[in-house]
Amino acid sequence: MVGSSHEALHRIFQKDPALLTRALQRVLHVPFPEPHEIAALNVDLTEIEPVERRVDTLLRAETDEGTYLLVVESQGKVDDRKRGSWPYYLSYLYEKYRCEPVLIVITQNSATARWAAQPIRLGFPGWHSLTVRPLVLGPDNVPVITDERQAEQDVPLAVLSAMTHGRGPQAAPILESLATALKTIDPDSAAVFVQFVDSCLADPQAKQMWRDLMTAIQYFWRHPLAEQVREEGREQGLEQGRKQAKAEMVLRVLEWRGIPVPEHVAERVTTCEDGDQLELWAQRAVRAAYAEDLFVEE
């Protein structure tokens, strides 16, 4: 699973970049032009030395009206240091790419959303040298999707709804409608979305409900490679087949995310006989920046 709600809240836009522009248009009612191409960019904004600055997710949107940089920041709580870092991100990106940057903040907390929506004004009263106005997605504007047909029409938005609202009495219909909708998309994408939601559910009852609805066997390993491995596993032993399926999934997730897999990493994964270890590597593969990050804590 994804390691934290912070990671999941912005990585969902890496999984489906078009979800971000749909959220701007439909949730925030911002007349953002329809992109005909969106590409992920390097999130590292570090200068030569010594300060490291890194945005959460950075996308480049090509539209008929121009090129925009979509800067996505996942925010768990109020942090006044952002008054300095967010303006820095935008000015640095504009200087580097000469494209208009747009700051979008995603949060699960209403108080944090209200704080993040406040303009950042630098200068003196009556004459601001710089004003930053973040666009904020949070519990007060992300739609609550409890209808199965609505969830099926836009599965990534339904995932975002579950990640944002998956607590309290409304958790059950949200999670149940999403569980049904996930059956309509490809298993690899469903597996990633399952983990995004799981990492964002802070309510223990909601998390258990989600895990009951969505077992790892049901979604995480339902793809052609896993099916082939399971068939072979029936001949060689079911447990061995499951281990091979998990190893294939680790490498598939890295491949899907565009992360190069060196030969020594692939060999270590495919020769691993520990099912729990393979499952841990699969969880890390969703958020790893490099293939070697699978093994960072060992």
Side-chain angles (χ1 to χ4, degrees):
M1 292 173 291
V2 180
S4 68
S5 60
H6 173 93
E7 289 294 308
L9 281 170
H10 69 87
R11 285 185 183 274
I12 187 175
F13 299 114
Q14 297 177 13
K15 167 62 179 166
D16 184 356
L19 171 63
L20 187 57
T21 56
R22 294 200 301 274
L24 294 179
Q25 296 164 351
R26 302 176 190 177
V27 178
L28 299 179
H29 305 293
V30 174
F32 190 85
E34 190 67 32
H36 46 76
E37 182 181 350
I38 300 180
L41 301 179
N42 191 331
V43 299
D44 194 345
L45 308 185
T46 307
E47 297 190 71
I48 298 177
E49 61 179 2
V51 180
E52 178 178 311
R53 298 185 187 274
R54 189 179 298 268
V55 299
D56 288 333
T57 287
L58 180 60
L59 304 171
R60 181 178 60 215
E62 302 286 351
T63 77
D64 292 335
E65 299 179 20
T67 301
Y68 296 89
L69 298 176
L70 305 178
V71 185
V72 184
E73 284 284 281
S74 174
Q75 195 65 29
K77 61 182 180 180
V78 173
D79 183 356
D80 288 332
R81 292 176 300 177
K82 298 298 185 180
R83 285 182 50 83
S85 58
W86 285 345
Y88 170 85
Y89 295 164
L90 300 183
S91 58
Y92 175 87
L93 288 168
Y94 179 78
E95 176 63 22
K96 181 176 182 179
Y97 293 102
R98 289 295 169 176
C99 300
E100 298 292 340
V102 180
L103 174 62
I104 302 102
V105 179
I106 174 77
T107 181
Q108 295 174 289
N109 184 278
S110 295
T112 302
R114 289 191 294 270
W115 162 81
Q118 296 175 5
I120 300 172
R121 296 186 174 94
L122 304 180
F124 60 86
W127 191 274
H128 301 117
S129 300
L130 177 65
T131 301
V132 175
R133 299 179 60 196
L135 295 166
V136 181
L137 293 167
D140 297 329
N141 54 21
V142 172
V144 176
I145 298 179
T146 58
D147 180 76
E148 294 177 4
R149 283 173 292 185
Q150 186 181 0
E152 291 173 3
Q153 290 172 0
D154 193 338
V155 174
L157 186 60
V159 173
L160 184 62
S161 175
M163 293 162 64
T164 308
H165 300 287
R167 64 182 66 187
Q170 60 189 358
I174 292 175
L175 298 178
E176 289 170 358
S177 64
L178 177 57
T180 300
L182 285 174
K183 298 177 184 178
T184 66
I185 65 175
D186 69 278
D188 286 347
S189 294
V192 177
F193 287 145
V194 166
Q195 296 184 27
F196 284 163
V197 174
D198 188 271
S199 67
C200 285
L201 293 175
D203 184 334
Q205 290 184 330
K207 185 181 286 286
Q208 187 58 51
M209 180 191 307
W210 179 242
R211 292 181 176 181
D212 290 342
L213 285 168
M214 193 105 1
T215 64
I217 295 298
Q218 182 180 3
Y219 279 109
F220 204 80
W221 314 119
R222 277 182 51 205
H223 62 86
L225 275 177
E227 196 61 45
Q228 177 184 346
V229 172
R230 279 199 296 272
E231 287 297 331
E232 297 171 358
R234 291 186 181 97
E235 299 176 2
Q236 302 172 2
L238 184 58
E239 185 60 29
Q240 184 63 29
R242 286 178 176 174
K243 290 176 183 177
Q244 292 179 13
K246 291 182 179 181
E248 293 286 359
M249 177 57 81
V250 173
L251 300 178
R252 174 65 72 87
V253 171
L254 292 173
E255 177 186 355
W256 167 77
R257 296 185 56 228
I259 296 176
V261 180
E263 184 175 346
H264 71 276
V265 173
E267 181 178 2
R268 183 171 177 181
V269 171
T270 55
T271 58
C272 179
E273 294 294 322
D274 186 336
D276 291 339
Q277 183 65 73
L278 287 168
E279 188 164 346
L280 178 61
W281 287 346
Q283 295 167 7
R284 291 178 183 167
V286 179
R287 63 180 187 275
Y290 303 94
E292 290 81 358
D293 289 349
L294 297 178
F295 321 127
V296 290
E297 295 181 9
E298 299 179 8

